[in-house]
């Protein structure tokens, strides 16, 4: 897949193009855009299981139950590797994709904590168009810290919670918060990230499929099952954006370790 390279915007704009101003009947200069290749190569995920013929025959709805368990396990695996995959034989997960920015901890910040300044600085490093699309994704171990974040109004005034809840849904600075066990635990790097997932490409070559055969375990009277899926993923940016002025931006911003 071909994509436009918009990483360096210090002297041009998206895709290497720059606006020109022309006088009446003036002649514009032709420009050459910058393209980059985005390669998705399907990786095969699989689960193989043998079951005795007796279990298959006597277990109530065994095939359906096994299929559900294997499909759910593969789905959970897809979720994990789309966040944490390191490339090569795995997808290049969100955390390993090019252009991810890490926001440093505050000076003197206590270990295993999240402070309001962390959240504000992460939000500020999201590229402007992504601020209205990005979501917060955090490990569930961060919940006590996030629920205790607050802003004091005036001297001895009211305390306003930073993470808000409405109908069971949480938000930080107006953007949704999703909790998952697939990110590092509280205090480790990227225990919370702010990401515009529209900038992460996922390709599914083969949907999860369950297959069954008696041939491999014929002599042991076993029934063999396998569940397969082929997929890949990676961020579509080649690097963080270098703007004309100010700090670099990204589609995914993480929080550095607080040890």
């Amino acid at each position: 897949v071909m994509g436009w390279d918009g990483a360096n915007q210090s002297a041009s704009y998206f895709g290497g193009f720059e606006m020109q101003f022309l006088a009446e009947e003036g002649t514009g200069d032709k420009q050459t855009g910058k393209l980059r290749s985005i390669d998705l190569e399907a990786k095969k995920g699989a689960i193989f299981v043998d079951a005795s013929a007796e279990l298959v025959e006597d277990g109530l709805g065994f095939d359906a139950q096994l299929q559900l368990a294997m499909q759910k396990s593969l789905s959970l695996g897809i979720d994990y590797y789309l966040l944490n995959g390191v490339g090569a034989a795995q997808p290049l997960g969100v955390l390993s994709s090019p252009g991810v920015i890490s926001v440093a901890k505050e000076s003197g910040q206590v270990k295993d904590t999240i402070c309001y300044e962390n959240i504000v600085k992460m939000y500020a490093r999201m590229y402007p168009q992504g601020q209205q699309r990005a979501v917060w994704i955090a490990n569930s171990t961060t919940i006590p810290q996030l629920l205790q974040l607050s802003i004091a109004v005036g001297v001895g005034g009211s305390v306003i919670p930073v993470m808000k809840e409405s109908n069971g849904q949480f938000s930080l600075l107006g953007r949704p918060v999703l909790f998952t066990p697939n990110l590092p635990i509280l205090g480790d790097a990227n225990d919370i990230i702010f990401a515009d997932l529209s900038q992460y490409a996922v390709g599914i070559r083969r949907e999860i499929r369950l297959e069954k055969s008696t041939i491999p375990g014929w002599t042991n009277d076993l029934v063999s099952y396998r569940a397969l899926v082929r997929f890949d993923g990676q961020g579509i940016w080649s690097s963080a954006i270098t703007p004309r002025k100010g700090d670099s931006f990204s589609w995914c911003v993480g929080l550095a370790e607080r040890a």
Side-chain angles (χ1 to χ4, degrees), residues 65-162:
Q65 293 183 54
L66 179 61
Q67 179 174 354
L68 179 62
M70 294 174 72
Q71 288 180 333
K72 188 171 183 178
S73 292
L74 281 180
S75 295
L76 292 172
I78 291 172
D79 290 346
Y80 178 84
Y81 285 103
L82 290 181
L83 279 173
N84 297 283
V86 296
Q90 306 172 4
L92 190 62
V94 170
L95 300 183
S96 298
S97 290
V100 176
I101 288 175
S102 180
V103 170
K105 67 178 182 179
E106 293 298 294
S107 177
Q109 183 173 347
V110 177
K111 73 173 185 177
D112 297 342
T113 60
I114 298 173
C115 63
Y116 181 59
E117 290 79 7
N118 298 150
I119 300 300
V120 171
K121 289 182 179 180
M122 291 174 68
Y123 187 92
R125 300 297 295 278
M126 174 61 59
Y127 77 111
Q129 297 87 345
Q131 289 174 350
Q132 299 305 311
R133 294 196 295 257
V135 297
W136 300 93
I137 308 174
N139 187 285
S140 299
T141 57
T142 66
I143 292 176
Q145 284 288 307
L146 294 174
L147 285 175
Q148 293 179 69
L149 288 182
S150 61
I151 306 172
V153 180
V155 179
S158 301
V159 174
I160 301 176
V162 174

Side-chain angles (χ1 to χ4, degrees), residues 181-257:
N182 293 330
L183 287 181
I185 62 172
L186 177 65
D188 290 347
N190 298 316
D191 54 353
I192 180 170
I193 63 175
F194 190 42
D196 175 8
L197 297 179
S198 71
Q199 304 304 298
Y200 185 81
V202 177
I204 303 292
R205 174 63 69 183
R206 179 197 294 175
E207 299 285 349
I208 296 176
R209 185 173 68 196
L210 183 71
E211 297 174 327
K212 173 182 176 181
S213 175
T214 58
I215 297 175
W218 180 263
T219 58
N220 299 103
D221 197 21
L222 296 175
V223 180
S224 297
Y225 297 84
R226 70 178 187 181
L228 302 172
V229 62
R230 296 181 66 219
F231 70 104
D232 197 15
Q234 64 172 282
I236 64 176
W237 289 29
S238 59
S239 67
I241 291 177
T242 302
R244 296 205 172 199
K245 298 180 180 180
D247 296 328
S248 58
F249 297 129
S250 179
W251 64 278
C252 180
V253 183
L255 183 58
E257 182 181 14

Side-chain angles (χ1 to χ4, degrees), residues 16-37:
F17 298 115
E18 184 175 5
M19 181 175 62
Q20 302 177 31
F21 289 97
L22 302 178
E24 184 176 355
E25 298 185 2
T27 302
D29 297 325
K30 292 184 179 180
Q31 301 183 39
T32 302
K34 296 180 180 179
L35 291 168
R36 58 179 298 264
S37 176

